[in-house]
């Protein structure tokens, strides 16, 4: 489906990676639902669901903040895919 675009997933899509002439773009499928205190998201900010990180040549990304986003995205996907427990009827 993604035609050669790197796609990272865990219980659903976490993010995709795309390379352009001047930027590498990491688009988080559910980025709008993630907390981003380090303000890594700098692209696709107007969307209701996705958010992206554009990395320009020579830029560095805060490693711990990036790992935190990945962990949040995994937790979000896992929580959406877990089935709620059924309460016993009394």
């Amino acid at each position: 489906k993604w035609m050669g675009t790197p796609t990272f997933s865990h219980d659903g899509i976490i993010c995709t990676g795309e390379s352009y002439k001047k930027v590498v773009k990491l688009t988080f499928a559910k980025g709008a639902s993630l907390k981003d205190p380090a303000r890594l998201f700098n692209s696709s900010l107007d969307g209701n669901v996705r958010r992206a990180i554009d990395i320009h040549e020579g830029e560095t990304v805060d490693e711990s903040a990036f790992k935190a986003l990945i962990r949040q995205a995994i937790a979000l996907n896992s929580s959406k895919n877990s089935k709620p427990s059924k309460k016993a009827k009394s």
Side-chain angles (χ1 to χ4, degrees):
K1 176 178 178 178
W2 294 99
M3 306 287 282
T5 300
T7 304
F8 305 91
S9 62
H10 182 91
D11 289 333
I13 294 176
I14 300 296
C15 72
T16 60
E18 303 157 76
S19 61
Y20 299 97
K21 285 185 179 184
K22 296 188 178 204
V23 69
V24 171
K25 180 181 286 288
L26 298 172
T27 304
F28 283 70
K30 298 175 185 169
S33 297
L34 304 177
K35 293 178 184 172
D36 181 24
R39 303 182 143 242
L40 293 180
F41 291 131
N42 59 10
S43 183
S44 304
L45 301 175
D46 295 333
N48 293 329
V49 180
R50 292 176 284 161
R51 294 284 185 273
I53 302 170
D54 285 356
I55 306 168
H56 297 87
E57 186 173 349
E59 285 184 337
T60 58
V61 175
D62 180 335
E63 184 179 338
S64 61
F66 183 72
K67 285 180 181 180
L69 280 178
I70 295 291
R71 288 184 180 116
Q72 275 190 78
I74 290 169
L76 179 62
N77 282 358
S78 295
S79 70
K80 302 276 181 179
N81 288 332
S82 63
K83 293 181 181 178
S85 60
K86 294 182 179 180
K87 293 184 179 180
K89 293 182 181 179
S90 48

